């Protein structure tokens, strides 16, 4: 391809009718004042989208516009250009055609970048236009640190072997350029790039395994010699303030790490195992803020009722589900909506996951007997309007929470139950008086998270006989009328076929008939009244709806439903 000509982006957009003269003048004035690139000014001002700019440039130069969300980037082609160069030139190698490279550029009018790429790649270039945000997202996702991590693991193993020193016994902090520090930094960066929620470091007999949990599923990152486990755990204990001399008991802590200008809060848990200490770290990206109720993906009827109930001056609202089902995220979203200057909000948590401005958050500390029940009783003397209790763990906490809900406080909390209907029964099993449950509990929201089909590699899918029969109770003879999808696996989803997760929900509102049934001593009558109130809008039905809409798979729906099927 011939070297592109130098053209003015504003003139191209003007000629193609995407900008007006006034918008161009306004953007140029803004560029002079702020120094931002003109394309960025156009997008942030709302004049055009990145895709419109890309398509306009493609038409101008008579080259292709590539939507990276639907393009399967090959790692071997991408590796032709180092990450630093890709970020510097806002470019990436899309395909290796032998005689030339197909290179995607966010700005093909950047002649200096084109010349540098030609010199660096030492081959003819065929340009394509890509949207800048898609380009940067692809770079973040695709330039994994697997090779650097493997190299640092080997370097750390050699250092540990050569010195013969028991690093774990010395307790001396490593220098910032030490292999253990560089290894951890690369592990954190790689985890953030692939949207991992947890990092697992697990010592075994012949190796130490590092795994990432992505969209609820564990993926192997690397394996190494078991001798590097001790210095890794030592360093993590040092930065999180744990006792480095204590290896016999579990410990919990937290620390902050900066990854690509994002502040990531890390919760760490260590546990002694047969071959050393196992460490799990939960990554909480503070830069993204707390999700709002609008962004949780709740069905409109459930969202509408939840919003009305949380505005009540008193009562208890419980969010239920297994560990990792997004209960805390839902409660924080509700607090975000309730957080006004007219309300005093106190949270009692173990641990405090996100720092919420304007809210009084208390961290439980069992060792000094700062328990849920004790803090909750003290919180009631602080004149709160809203109280969030991290979890209803025991009878004392349940009774105190229910009593608070009866005496003019709105109480939000979580409970580990399989579905909404079993939640009031679980409270009774924990020793709560029947009249308190009937009077104080206003609403139960049960939820799960299921993985979503990758839009880049989604393709039609034929149900297996088992899947067909599993759907029949909900869909009847309509099972074969829907189009099902499944991801084949591509670079966008790390070959899993899934990207991201969405919630499925069911809601039980304690209406008068349900309360009357709860006050009776007949569980069967209560279950019948509760199911009648829900009208068939169960977790299973919500999961099936995601399948028939093509957003998830039967496999995911079956996993989410297995815990609460009759």
């Amino acid at each position: 391809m011939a070297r592109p000509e130098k053209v003015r982006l504003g003139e191209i957009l003007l000629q193609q009718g995407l900008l007006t003269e006034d918008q161009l003048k306004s953007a140029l004035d803004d560029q002079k004042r702020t120094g931002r690139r003109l394309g960025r000014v156009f997008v942030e001002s709302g004049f055009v989208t990145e895709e419109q700019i890309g398509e306009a440039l493609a038409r101008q130069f008579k080259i292709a516009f590539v939507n990276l969300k639907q393009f399967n980037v090959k790692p071997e082609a991408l590796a032709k250009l180092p990450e630093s160069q890709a970020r510097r030139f806002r470019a990436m190698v899309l395909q290796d055609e032998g005689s030339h490279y197909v290179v995607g550029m966010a700005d093909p009018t950047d002649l200096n970048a084109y010349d540098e790429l030609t010199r660096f790649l030492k081959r003819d270039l065929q340009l394509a236009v890509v949207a800048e945000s898609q380009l940067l997202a692809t770079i973040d996702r695709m330039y994994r640190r697997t090779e650097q991590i493997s190299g640092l693991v080997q370097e750390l193993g050699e250092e540990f072997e050569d010195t013969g020193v028991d690093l774990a016994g010395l307790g001396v902090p490593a220098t910032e350029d030490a292999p253990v520090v560089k290894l951890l930094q690369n592990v954190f960066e790689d985890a953030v790039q692939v949207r991992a929620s947890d990092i697992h470091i697990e010592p075994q007999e012949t190796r130490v395994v590092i795994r990432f949990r992505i969209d609820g599923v564990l993926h192997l990152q690397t394996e190494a010699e078991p001798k590097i486990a001790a210095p890794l755990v030592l360093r993590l204990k040092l930065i999180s303030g744990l006792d480095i001399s204590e290896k016999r008991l579990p410990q919990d802590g937290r620390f902050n790490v900066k990854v690509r200008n994002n502040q990531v809060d890390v919760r760490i848990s260590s546990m002694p195992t047969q071959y050393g200490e196992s460490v799990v770290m939960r990554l909480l990206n503070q830069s993204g803020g707390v999700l709002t109720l609008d962004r949780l993906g709740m069905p409109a009827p459930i969202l509408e009722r939840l919003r009305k109930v949380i505005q009540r001056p008193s009562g208890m609202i419980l969010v239920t589900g297994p560990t990792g089902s997004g209960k805390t995220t839902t409660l924080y979203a509700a607090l975000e909506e309730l957080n006004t200057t007219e309300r005093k909000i106190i949270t009692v948590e173990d641990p405090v996951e996100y720092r919420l401005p304007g809210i009084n958050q208390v961290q439980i500390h069992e060792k000094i007997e700062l328990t849920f029940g004790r803090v909750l009783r003290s919180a009631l003397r602080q004149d709160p309007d809203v109280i969030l209790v991290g979890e209803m763990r025991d009878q004392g906490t349940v009774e105190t929470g229910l009593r608070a809900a009866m005496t003019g406080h709105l109480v939000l909390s979580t409970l580990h139950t399989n579905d909404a209907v079993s939640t009031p029964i679980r409270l009774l099993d924990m020793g709560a008086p029947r009249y308190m449950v009937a009077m104080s509990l206003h609403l139960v929201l049960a939820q799960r998270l299921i993985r979503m089909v990758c839009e880049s590699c989604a393709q039609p899918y034929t149900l297996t006989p088992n899947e067909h029969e599993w759907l029949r109770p909900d869909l009847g003879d309509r099972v074969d009328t829907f189009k099902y999808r499944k991801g084949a696996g591509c670079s966008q989803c790390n070959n899993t076929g899934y990207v991201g997760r969405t919630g499925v929900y069911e809601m039980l509102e304690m209406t008068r008939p349900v309360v009357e049934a709860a006050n009776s001593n007949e569980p069967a009558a209560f279950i019948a009244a509760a199911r009648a109130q829900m009208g068939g809008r169960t977790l299973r039905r919500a999961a099936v709806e995601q399948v028939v809409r093509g957003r998830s798979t039967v496999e995911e729906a079956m996993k989410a439903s297995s815990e609460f099927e009759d």
Side-chain angles (χ1 to χ4, degrees):
M1 173 183 170
R3 186 174 186 265
E5 301 173 0
K6 181 65 177 176
V7 295
R8 295 180 183 275
L9 177 60
E11 292 178 0
I12 293 175
L13 298 177
L14 196 62
Q15 290 168 6
Q16 297 189 18
L18 297 173
L19 277 184
T20 65
E21 292 277 5
D22 289 341
Q23 288 175 331
L24 178 56
K25 184 178 182 304
S26 171
L28 289 170
D29 291 341
D30 195 333
Q31 182 194 34
K32 289 177 183 177
R33 186 174 65 256
T34 63
R36 292 182 298 168
R37 290 183 297 112
L38 191 57
R40 181 54 48 197
V41 175
F42 290 146
V43 173
E44 292 178 356
S45 300
F47 298 154
V48 291
T49 64
E50 281 190 327
E51 287 74 15
Q52 286 176 315
I53 291 177
E55 290 169 354
L57 289 170
R59 283 191 293 269
Q60 176 70 23
F61 292 113
K62 296 181 174 57
I63 58 179
F65 172 74
V66 176
N67 185 345
L68 290 176
K69 291 181 179 178
Q70 299 172 350
F71 186 84
N72 188 14
V73 180
K74 295 179 174 59
E76 57 272 19
L78 196 73
K80 303 295 182 183
L81 193 66
E83 181 182 359
S84 59
Q85 303 282 26
R87 292 186 183 279
R88 177 185 171 193
F89 300 129
R90 294 291 194 266
M92 62 192 305
V93 178
L94 301 176
Q95 288 178 316
D96 183 353
E97 299 291 350
S99 61
H100 64 275
Y101 291 127
V102 179
V103 175
M105 292 186 69
D107 181 10
T109 67
D110 188 343
L111 301 185
N112 289 332
Y114 177 87
D115 291 340
E116 289 291 332
L117 286 168
T118 303
R119 279 195 291 270
F120 185 86
L121 294 170
K122 297 181 175 62
R123 202 179 290 183
D124 290 339
L125 307 184
Q126 178 183 330
L127 289 188
V129 187
V130 294
E132 184 175 12
S133 61
Q134 293 180 15
L135 172 79
L136 294 176
T138 303
I139 290 173
D140 285 343
R141 184 181 64 256
M142 293 293 294
Y143 279 97
R144 297 290 303 277
R145 282 165 169 70
T146 303
E147 291 185 10
Q148 294 98 310
I149 289 172
S150 299
L152 288 165
V153 162
Q154 184 176 354
E155 184 181 346
L156 179 60
E158 290 172 355
E159 179 181 281
F160 191 53
E161 186 173 34
D162 292 343
T163 59
V165 177
D166 183 3
L167 297 179
L170 292 176
V172 179
T175 60
E176 294 307 309
D177 60 348
V180 65
V181 177
K182 288 191 270 188
L183 172 59
L184 286 173
Q185 184 64 32
N186 276 273
V187 166
F188 284 123
E189 290 192 7
D190 195 40
V192 169
Q193 284 184 202
V194 296
R195 303 175 295 103
S197 60
D198 302 84
I199 301 172
H200 293 239
I201 301 176
E202 302 160 327
Q204 299 177 10
E205 183 177 9
T206 59
R207 66 193 190 281
V208 60
V209 176
I210 298 178
R211 296 192 289 174
F212 293 164
R213 188 176 295 279
I214 306 169
D215 292 334
V217 178
L218 282 170
H219 297 266
L220 178 66
Q221 209 301 324
T222 192
E223 294 181 344
E225 292 291 323
K227 60 194 173 188
I228 77 163
L232 271 181
V233 173
L234 168 67
R235 183 62 181 175
L236 289 168
K237 281 186 168 184
L238 284 169
I239 60 180
S240 53
L242 301 182
D243 184 356
I244 61 173
S245 64
E246 180 57 78
K247 303 177 186 177
R248 302 165 299 170
L249 297 174
Q251 297 187 67
D252 298 298
R254 71 190 308 158
F255 60 92
N256 289 298
V257 61
K258 196 170 185 178
V259 181
R260 294 191 178 280
N261 296 321
N262 290 332
Q263 202 66 31
V264 179
D265 197 10
V266 183
R267 277 171 33 201
I268 180 172
S269 170
S270 70
M271 183 178 69
T273 67
Q274 186 176 4
Y275 299 110
E277 291 181 274
S278 171
V279 170
V280 176
M281 293 175 282
R282 169 66 56 88
L283 308 182
L284 304 168
N285 196 331
Q286 301 289 340
S287 61
V290 176
L291 288 177
T292 60
L293 288 175
D294 289 324
R295 296 171 56 199
L296 293 181
M298 287 184 188
I302 289 181
L303 178 60
E304 182 182 354
R305 286 308 305 159
L306 178 61
R307 278 193 156 135
K308 287 183 178 178
V309 174
I310 65 174
Q311 295 298 331
R312 293 177 183 175
S314 63
M316 176 178 283
I317 298 170
L318 291 178
V319 181
T320 75
T323 301
S325 59
K327 301 186 297 296
T328 303
T329 300
T330 299
L331 289 178
Y332 278 178
L335 285 188
E336 188 77 4
E337 199 148 306
L338 292 169
N339 189 13
T340 63
T341 54
E342 293 81 18
R343 291 188 181 95
K344 175 155 184 166
I345 302 175
I346 297 177
T347 74
V348 187
E349 304 173 70
D350 183 24
V352 174
E353 292 199 5
Y354 288 93
R355 274 81 169 186
L356 304 175
I359 292 178
N360 303 278
Q361 296 175 272
V362 182
Q363 167 78 49
I364 293 304
H365 202 321
E366 298 280 356
K367 288 184 179 179
I368 59 173
E369 298 183 0
L370 194 64
T371 61
F372 274 109
R374 185 171 184 176
V375 175
L376 184 52
R377 289 190 293 272
S378 298
L380 292 174
R381 295 192 287 271
Q382 292 278 313
D383 189 29
D385 298 294
V386 181
I387 303 172
L388 184 147
V389 183
E391 183 184 348
M392 290 291 166
R393 288 187 177 177
D394 51 50
Q395 181 179 354
T397 306
V398 169
E399 289 191 9
T400 306
L402 290 170
R403 193 170 288 109
M406 291 176 63
T407 57
H409 305 88
L410 182 67
V411 179
L412 311 178
S413 190
T414 69
L415 193 65
H416 289 279
T417 59
N418 283 340
D419 56 15
V421 173
S422 63
T423 300
I425 298 173
R426 171 68 177 144
L427 292 176
L428 296 176
D429 290 342
M430 293 176 73
R434 186 175 300 277
Y435 78 93
M436 290 181 70
V437 174
M439 292 180 62
S440 300
L441 185 61
H442 286 196
L443 183 143
V444 180
L445 181 71
Q447 66 180 66
R448 298 289 189 280
L449 293 176
I450 62 175
R451 292 188 291 173
M452 298 170 66
V453 172
C454 173
E455 293 297 331
S456 299
C457 61
Q459 57 187 24
Y461 175 71
T462 303
L463 298 176
T464 66
N466 285 342
E467 292 171 338
H468 194 280
E469 289 307 307
W470 187 84
L471 288 171
R472 185 172 288 280
D474 294 280
L475 303 179
D477 294 335
R478 298 181 300 140
V479 173
D480 296 320
T481 64
F482 296 101
K483 295 179 180 179
Y484 304 95
R485 300 196 308 161
K486 190 170 186 176
C490 66
S491 62
Q492 302 287 333
C493 59
N494 292 315
N495 294 311
T496 63
Y498 299 96
V499 172
R501 291 187 290 176
T502 189
V504 291
Y505 305 89
E506 69 178 20
M507 176 181 286
L508 171 63
E509 190 169 359
M510 299 295 284
T511 58
R512 185 178 295 276
V514 178
V515 170
E516 289 174 355
N519 263 322
S520 71
N521 200 19
E522 298 180 12
F526 167 75
I527 291 173
R531 287 182 172 171
Q533 191 279 325
M534 291 171 63
R537 295 181 294 273
T538 63
L539 283 166
R540 176 187 170 112
R541 179 63 60 85
V544 170
E545 286 177 2
Q546 296 293 336
V547 173
V548 298
R549 290 169 61 190
R551 302 188 69 202
S552 191
T553 62
V554 184
E555 179 184 9
E556 280 295 297
M558 291 173 74
K559 285 180 185 176
S561 306
S562 63
E563 297 178 21
F564 50 85
E565 282 188 328
D566 292 334

